[in-house]
């Protein structure tokens, strides 16, 4: 027999997946022979054609299982896969390009419409802004031109007819100047006019707070400040009859002697006038509340001046200096103990208005009618006000009333040809001339020393040349004749 006609030997396939070729071989041989083992070369020859058939069958199975929904193990065919992927990528890129081009054309059309709208709006906005700026600039230039014109006109009028500064500020200048200023007022003039209106300044009243540039003057707050201290002088005034009601060991003359001595002490240590006025106020307020023996009256005066010095002075005298001025009658401990007692009795309320508090403002109002400030008026009003410190009877008058009466009598002493009271003084003191009659008459008696008072400390002080010797001045005509007119 030829070898070609011989039946193929039974081959035992390794266990695994059964393919068509393997099942055919098994079916032809009648089974699997487990006794014979093929050599490596024979298996290699047989497996080569089987592998090609297996690949084809696997490919068919893959297509079938995929259609059924199973997921077999994929065997990549690089040529076919790469070509399909490349084609799909190429088609996707073409489609994406078309879509992007379509969107871009649509977006360009929308953008063009928006740009056209914005381009139409921008010139309109710019034109509005430019027109507003031009209007504002024209207004500013018109105001500047008007202010310059007004300044030139006012300067010419000042050279021709000098008008007082305060009257012009409150609109009391002549009618022509006021007519020009209407509608052509600068911001500063408007502010000053508002201040005058707030002050309630009427015709003939000079605004003494018009110098609003100086912060030390506090021109805008001065009316409120003095309104406040007018109320405070009522709340913190001493008793007007404590000598009769409370004190048993001291008299009004003892009080006068003590204050006369304190005037000399203030001159010795060059204390400011406010210290002297506050010292007297503290003494009277303490004596209105607490009984004291005459042996300790001087100690009370020293302690009150120590407190006032600490409150008013920049460099207050030391406690030892006040002990020395009393010829060491009282020790340092006694002075400090009395200081503590006074502060506790008065509840540390030291900010009280005195005659000096009002006198400054009233003198300033009196000086407003003078072209040149009168220094004698200031010294004479202060002299008359200090004379009242010695007199217990003047406690019945308010400090503001005493200050107004001192200014009234000082103006009358310096000039009897004109009435000493005017609308400006009446406005700022809030006293009419008729309300000052009793106080002015009592003050004139002190000036003329009709009672023959021997306390000359204040008189000697104001006889000095530095005070223009105002203590020697007196009016030839009594002031009572002024009230009888």
């Amino acid at each position: 027999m030829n070898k070609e006609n011989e039946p193929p030997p039974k081959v035992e396939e390794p266990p695994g997946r059964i393919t068509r070729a393997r099942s055919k071989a098994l079916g032809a041989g009648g089974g699997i022979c487990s006794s014979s083992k093929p050599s490596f070369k024979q298996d290699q020859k047989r497996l080569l054609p089987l592998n090609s058939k297996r690949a084809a069958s696997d490919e068919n199975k893959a297509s079938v299982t995929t259609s059924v929904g199973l997921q077999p193990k994929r065997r990549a065919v690089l040529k076919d896969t790469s070509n399909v992927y490349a084609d799909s990528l190429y088609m996707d890129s073409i489609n994406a390009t078309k879509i992007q081009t379509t969107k871009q054309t649509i977006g360009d059309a929308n953008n063009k419409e928006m740009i056209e709208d914005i381009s139409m709006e921008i010139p309109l906005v710019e034109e509005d802004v430019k027109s507003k700026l031009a209007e504002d600039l024209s207004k500013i230039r018109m105001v500047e031109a008007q202010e310059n014109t007004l300044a030139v006109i006012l300067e010419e009028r000042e050279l021709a007819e000098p008008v007082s500064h305060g009257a012009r500020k409150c609109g009391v200048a002549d009618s022509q100047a006021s007519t020009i200023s209407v509608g052509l007022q600068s911001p500063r003039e408007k502010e000053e006019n508002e201040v005058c209106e707030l002050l309630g300044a009427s015709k003939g009243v000079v605004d003494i707070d018009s110098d609003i540039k100086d912060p030390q003057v506090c021109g805008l707050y001065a009316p409120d400040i003095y309104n406040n201290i007018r109320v405070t002088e009522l709340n913190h005034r001493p008793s007007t009859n404590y000598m009769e009601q409370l004190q048993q060991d001291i008299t009004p003359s003892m009080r006068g002697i003590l204050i006369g001595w304190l005037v000399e002490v203030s001159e010795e240590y060059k204390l400011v006038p406010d210290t002297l006025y506050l010292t007297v106020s503290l003494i009277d307020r303490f004596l209105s509340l607490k009984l004291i023996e005459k042996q300790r009256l001087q100690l009370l005066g020293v302690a009150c001046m120590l407190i006032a010095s600490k409150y008013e002075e920049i460099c207050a005298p030391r406690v030892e200096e006040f002990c020395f001025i009393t010829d060491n009658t009282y020790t340092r401990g006694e002075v400090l103990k009395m200081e503590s007692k006074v502060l506790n009795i008065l509840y540390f309320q030291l900010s009280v208005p005195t005659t000096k508090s009002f006198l400054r403002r009233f003198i300033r109002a009196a000086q407003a009618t003078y072209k040149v400030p009168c220094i004698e008026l200031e010294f004479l009003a202060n002299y008359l006000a200090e004379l009242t410190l010695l007199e217990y009877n003047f406690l019945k008058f308010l400090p503001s009333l005493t200050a107004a009466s001192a200014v009234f009598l000082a103006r009358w002493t310096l000039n009897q040809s004109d009435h000493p009271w005017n609308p400006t003084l009446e406005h700022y003191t809030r006293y009419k001339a008729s309300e000052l009659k009793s106080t002015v008459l009592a003050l004139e008696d002190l000036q003329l020393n009709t009672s023959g008072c021997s306390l000359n400390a204040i008189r000697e002080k104001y006889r000095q040349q530095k005070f223009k010797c105002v203590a020697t001045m007196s009016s030839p005509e009594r002031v009572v004749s002024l009230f009888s007119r």
Side-chain angles (χ1 to χ4, degrees):
M1 264 179 86
N2 294 333
K3 292 180 179 182
E4 292 178 358
N5 296 325
E6 291 179 2
K10 295 180 181 180
V11 179
E12 184 180 358
E13 294 290 334
R17 188 166 147 183
I18 300 175
T19 61
R20 291 178 183 178
R22 186 173 180 184
S23 62
K24 187 177 180 180
L26 290 174
I32 298 173
C33 183
S34 59
S35 61
S36 61
K37 293 183 180 180
S39 64
F40 178 75
K41 289 183 179 180
Q42 288 177 348
D43 284 338
Q44 191 175 10
K45 287 180 181 180
R46 290 191 186 100
L47 287 174
L48 285 174
L50 290 175
N51 287 335
S52 60
K53 292 180 180 179
R54 188 182 302 165
S57 63
D58 290 339
E59 202 170 36
N60 294 329
K61 284 181 181 180
S63 61
V64 173
T65 54
T66 304
S67 63
V68 177
L70 301 176
Q71 294 181 355
K73 188 183 293 184
R74 293 184 180 180
R75 300 178 182 272
V77 181
L78 295 178
K79 182 177 180 181
D80 297 337
T81 305
S82 62
N83 290 339
V84 173
Y85 183 68
D87 292 340
S88 63
L89 284 178
Y90 177 72
M91 293 302 294
D92 291 340
S93 62
I94 291 173
N95 294 330
T97 306
K98 289 180 180 180
I99 293 168
Q100 187 174 2
T101 306
T102 306
K103 289 182 179 179
Q104 188 171 3
T105 54
I106 295 170
D108 291 339
N110 293 332
N111 290 334
K112 283 181 181 180
E113 293 177 359
M114 292 175 65
I115 290 168
E116 287 177 358
D117 294 336
I118 294 170
S119 62
M120 290 295 289
E121 291 176 0
I122 288 173
L124 294 175
V125 175
E126 290 180 352
E127 288 177 2
D128 293 339
V129 172
K130 289 179 180 178
S131 62
K132 288 180 181 178
L133 288 175
E135 290 177 2
D136 293 339
L137 288 173
S138 63
K139 289 179 182 178
I140 291 169
R141 289 171 182 171
M142 288 176 66
V143 172
E144 289 178 352
Q146 289 174 355
E147 288 181 356
N148 294 331
T149 306
L150 178 60
V152 172
I153 293 172
L154 292 177
E155 286 178 1
E156 291 176 355
R157 290 196 61 81
E158 284 179 357
L159 293 174
E161 298 177 1
V163 182
S164 64
H165 177 74
R168 186 174 66 253
K169 295 295 182 183
C170 288
V172 190
D174 54 5
S175 60
Q176 186 175 359
S178 62
T179 304
I180 293 172
S181 62
V182 174
L184 298 177
Q185 292 178 344
S186 64
R188 174 179 168 78
E189 290 175 346
K190 288 180 181 180
E191 185 178 359
E192 290 171 355
N193 290 335
E194 290 176 359
V195 172
C196 292
E197 291 177 2
L198 290 174
L199 290 173
S202 58
K203 187 176 181 180
V205 176
V206 180
D207 182 14
I208 64 174
D209 299 315
S210 60
D211 190 8
I212 58 178
K213 286 184 177 180
D214 187 3
Q216 300 294 331
V217 175
C218 300
L220 293 175
Y221 310 106
D224 294 331
I225 292 171
Y226 282 93
N227 288 337
N228 181 54
I229 63 175
R230 287 295 291 267
V231 176
T232 308
E233 72 171 343
L234 296 172
N235 298 332
H236 297 289
R237 64 180 305 189
S239 174
T240 59
N241 57 355
Y242 64 82
M243 286 289 183
E244 297 81 11
Q245 297 293 329
L246 180 62
Q247 300 301 326
Q248 301 174 0
D249 202 21
I250 61 175
T251 61
S253 61
M254 292 180 185
R255 174 188 176 276
I257 292 170
L258 172 65
I259 294 174
W261 177 74
L262 291 173
V263 171
E264 296 176 354
V265 174
S266 64
E267 284 292 298
E268 178 70 22
Y269 290 109
K270 296 180 171 55
L271 304 179
V272 296
D274 299 81
T275 302
L276 178 62
Y277 281 93
L278 182 57
T279 300
V280 177
S281 176
L282 295 175
I283 291 172
D284 289 327
R285 289 170 61 200
F286 181 86
L287 293 177
S288 300
L289 300 172
K290 194 71 175 176
L291 182 67
I292 196 170
E293 300 84 9
K294 61 182 178 181
Q295 293 84 6
R296 300 177 66 82
L297 183 61
Q298 188 180 16
L299 176 61
L300 173 64
V302 169
C304 289
M305 182 160 276
L306 175 63
I307 295 170
S309 300
K310 291 179 179 179
Y311 187 83
E312 297 286 355
E313 300 291 334
I314 297 175
C315 297
R318 295 176 298 143
V319 182
E320 290 78 10
E321 294 181 83
F322 285 108
C323 294
F324 173 77
I325 206 72
T326 61
D327 197 16
N328 293 320
T329 305
Y330 307 104
T331 63
R332 184 176 186 274
E334 289 177 322
V335 174
L336 294 177
K337 186 177 180 180
M338 179 58 75
E339 178 190 19
S340 175
K341 187 176 182 180
V342 171
L343 291 172
N344 287 313
I345 290 294
L346 301 180
Y347 297 100
F348 288 81
Q349 294 178 352
L350 306 180
S351 299
V352 295
T354 62
T355 303
K356 187 66 176 177
S357 305
F358 296 98
L359 196 61
R360 285 193 178 93
R361 185 165 179 81
F362 296 168
I363 289 175
R364 187 174 182 184
Q367 298 279 20
T369 56
Y370 293 102
K371 294 181 180 179
V372 179
C374 182
I375 192 67
E376 289 84 2
L377 173 64
E378 183 175 353
F379 289 148
L380 186 55
N382 279 287
Y383 164 63
L384 295 173
E386 284 189 26
L387 284 177
T388 63
L389 295 177
L390 301 171
E391 296 296 323
Y392 168 74
N393 293 329
F394 268 82
L395 290 178
K396 62 185 177 183
F397 301 119
L398 290 172
S400 59
L401 183 61
T402 303
S405 301
V407 173
F408 186 101
L409 186 58
R411 283 174 61 88
W412 172 254
T413 303
L414 295 173
N415 183 15
Q416 294 84 32
S417 62
D418 193 11
H419 198 284
W421 217 237
N422 54 40
T424 301
L425 283 166
E426 184 176 335
H427 172 74
Y428 287 104
T429 62
R430 299 182 184 178
Y431 291 112
K432 296 180 180 180
S434 58
E435 297 173 337
L436 303 176
K437 180 179 178 179
S438 58
T439 314
V440 170
L441 293 177
L443 191 56
E444 188 183 34
D445 290 339
L446 288 180
Q447 183 187 21
L448 301 175
N449 196 14
T450 56
S451 61
C453 180
S454 59
L455 301 175
N456 294 321
I458 295 176
R459 302 180 193 276
E460 292 297 328
K461 173 183 175 181
Y462 281 93
R463 284 195 182 105
Q464 301 177 41
Q465 187 62 37
K466 65 178 181 178
F467 295 112
K468 301 294 181 181
C469 303
V470 294
T472 60
M473 294 181 181
S474 62
S475 61
E477 186 180 357
R478 295 293 296 264
V479 72
V480 68
S481 61
L482 187 64
F483 293 102
S484 61
R485 294 175 185 175

